């Protein structure tokens, strides 16, 4: 039996497939806007959504997308599953594969994502792990190309701490041939494993600590959390939270 095609990390997929996904999404969005949406291509299909971590946007976007495409969703949390009582992620993958057509999982442990994909006979989608957030970045890339054309050769600026979203942006830089300038506070800079990946990938990724340097000349500015500089109390609260969890 042929192995299913999973969507786990942007740097693990052929760039032709990534570009085809974005182009197809743009076409389907345009058709829906024009009132020419195709018949329900996922009619009769079921997507299981596993949320080990809370979610708003990821849950709603997957649920709405499946409904618009004619399919159904089933949401599960760790407390509702045998995995919460010690069942292995591999066993969970094999059981779910008998009932549903695809699995989306949002879980902190990146290795568990890959373990699920290895044991599943249906496609597995990375809804977020501690190491990457590829679906969010693919949506961002789609938005960029809708508004400003191909991102190839462009410069993207990231300001803020190094996290899973930034990691996926770096993966995208390697695949889509654009430059990303990263400005992080020194205490929240990319860790050794991500720095090693940057060096190995040969991607056009520049690291620094000065936000002004990062955004100068950029075609797009990205951050994980926007804070109004006018709201000093909120900014201080968020800074205290970051320092507490670092």
């Amino acid at each position: 039996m042929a192995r299913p095609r999973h969507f786990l990390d942007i740097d693990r997929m052929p760039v032709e497939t990534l570009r085809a996904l974005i182009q197809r999404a743009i076409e389907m969005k345009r058709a829906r806007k024009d009132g020419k949406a195709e018949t329900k291509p996922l009619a009769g299909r079921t997507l299981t959504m596993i949320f080990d971590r809370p979610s708003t946007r990821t849950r709603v976007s997957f649920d709405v997308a499946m409904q618009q495409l004619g399919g159904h969703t089933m949401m599960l949390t760790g407390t509702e599953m045998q995995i919460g009582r010690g069942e292995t992620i591999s066993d969970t993958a094999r059981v779910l594969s008998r009932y549903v057509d695809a699995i989306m999982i949002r879980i902190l442990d990146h290795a568990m994502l890959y373990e699920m994909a290895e044991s599943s006979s249906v496609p597995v989608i990375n809804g977020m792990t501690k190491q990457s957030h590829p679906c969010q970045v693919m949506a961002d890339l789609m938005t960029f190309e809708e508004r400003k054309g191909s991102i190839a050769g462009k410069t993207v600026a990231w300001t803020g701490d190094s996290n899973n979203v930034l990691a996926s942006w770096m993966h995208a830089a390697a695949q889509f041939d654009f430059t990303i300038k990263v400005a992080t506070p020194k205490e929240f800079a990319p860790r050794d494993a991500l720095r090693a990946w940057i060096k190995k990938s040969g991607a056009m990724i520049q690291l620094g600590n000065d936000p002004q340097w990062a955004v100068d000349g950029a075609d797009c500015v990205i951050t994980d959390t926007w804070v109004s500089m006018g709201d000093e109390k909120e900014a201080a609260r968020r800074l205290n939270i970051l320092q507490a969890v670092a």
Side-chain angles (χ1 to χ4, degrees), residues 82-93:
Q82 293 295 337
I83 193 172
R85 300 181 178 88
E87 183 173 280
T88 67
I89 198 79
S90 297
D91 284 341
T92 299

Side-chain angles (χ1 to χ4, degrees), residues 22-40:
I22 290 177
Q23 184 57 41
R24 180 70 173 132
I26 290 174
E27 292 170 356
M28 294 178 75
K29 179 181 176 181
R30 186 179 298 130
R32 184 172 184 81
K33 184 178 180 181
D34 294 340
K36 301 176 181 178
E38 60 188 88
T39 55
K40 308 294 188 180

Side-chain angles (χ1 to χ4, degrees), residues 31 52 71 92 115 117 130-131 149 169 184 188 206 217 236:
D52 186 54
T92 299
E115 184 180 348
K130 193 173 182 178
Q131 289 184 218
W169 267 104
T184 63
F188 300 115
Q206 303 172 26

